Amino acid sequence: MKRMLKDAFKDQRIEELPLPFATSAVDLLTGKEHIFDQGPVTEALTSAMSLPGAFPPYRMGEKILVDGGMINNVPESLIRTKGADVVLGINVSPLQELVPVKLFEDRNTTEKGFFRYIWDTLKYPPILQIMTRTITLEGREITRLKRPKMDLFVHFHLEEFQLFDFVRFQEIIDKGEKEAEDNLEEIKRLFS
């Protein structure tokens, strides 16, 4: 992930970006939010994308940083402290599931052989599924609580995609563009 970000942003700094940008991470040692509004873009994004259980924490000096969404996944307050008087929130996480979530497979119903079942369990152990599910539920609740603080909240319906559907990125981009177009009039009214 760090190599991909380095290839994309080189040595670019946040303060050099054409649009104002800020993101956050959480220091696991202190439990406090760390704001990135200057410095290397790759450092900020690596920290902000370090989802516990999926990616290792990012070490920055004495700090051990993970995804800021752990405590502030809807950073409306961060945006306002940076001078925004109007905040548009776009949610890309499901607010509810279309089908019940299944955390554990029953080998008898999957028709997998014993060794295939063991291999799949080792490749993506249940603890990762449990952690991912916990983070999803936590984020959903924070989103519900912060939703009223935004001037406009738009929910993109991306329920068909999973957190780690990286190979489906083009489908996700296409669906996101369609969702944005569907909400364009309301977004334009907010900023006019």
Side-chain angles (χ1 to χ4, degrees), residues 11-95:
D11 293 322
Q12 194 167 23
R13 298 181 61 79
I14 293 171
E15 52 271 30
E16 299 167 351
L17 294 173
L19 295 173
F21 175 79
T23 190
S24 69
V26 177
D27 182 359
L28 287 178
L29 299 177
T30 64
K32 293 182 179 174
E33 187 174 35
H34 177 84
I35 306 300
F36 287 95
D37 55 5
Q38 57 184 357
V41 173
T42 54
E43 184 175 75
L45 293 179
T46 302
S47 300
M49 294 170 59
S50 294
L51 191 65
F55 301 108
Y58 182 77
R59 291 181 176 268
M60 189 178 80
E62 296 292 314
K63 297 178 185 223
I64 299 176
L65 302 170
V66 296
D67 180 0
M70 297 297 100
I71 61 170
N72 192 9
N73 71 330
V74 185
E76 170 270 340
S77 56
L78 170 60
I79 302 304
R80 291 203 193 273
T81 61
K82 294 296 170 192
D85 54 351
V86 176
V87 175
L88 164 64
I90 298 179
N91 182 48
V92 296
S93 300
L95 294 175

Side-chain angles (χ1 to χ4, degrees), residues 89-99 136 140 153-166 168-183:
I90 298 179
N91 182 48
V92 296
S93 300
L95 294 175
Q96 65 183 18
E97 279 80 23
L98 300 176
V99 295
T136 300
R140 181 182 299 164
F153 180 86
V154 178
H155 174 70
F156 281 14
H157 297 278
L158 303 173
E159 289 86 0
E160 67 206 74
F161 302 104
Q162 300 298 311
L163 183 61
F164 295 106
D165 275 347
F166 300 132
R168 298 179 68 190
F169 72 92
Q170 191 58 56
E171 289 177 74
I172 296 169
I173 290 169
D174 294 344
K175 182 78 186 269
E177 287 175 351
K178 183 189 178 317
E179 292 279 349
E181 288 171 12
D182 291 348
N183 291 281

Side-chain angles (χ1 to χ4, degrees), residues 51-54 102-105 120-136 163-164:
L51 191 65
K102 189 172 186 180
L103 288 176
F104 303 101
E105 281 188 331
D120 287 349
T121 301
L122 290 173
K123 190 169 70 175
Y124 190 50
I127 189 66
L128 292 180
Q129 293 169 300
I130 292 167
M131 290 176 70
T132 301
R133 180 67 177 151
T134 303
I135 290 167
T136 300
L163 183 61
F164 295 106

Side-chain angles (χ1 to χ4, degrees), residues 142-156:
I142 294 171
T143 300
R144 285 189 183 144
L145 293 171
K146 292 195 169 193
R147 186 177 181 168
K149 296 180 178 186
M150 286 171 266
D151 299 293
L152 177 61
F153 180 86
V154 178
H155 174 70
F156 281 14

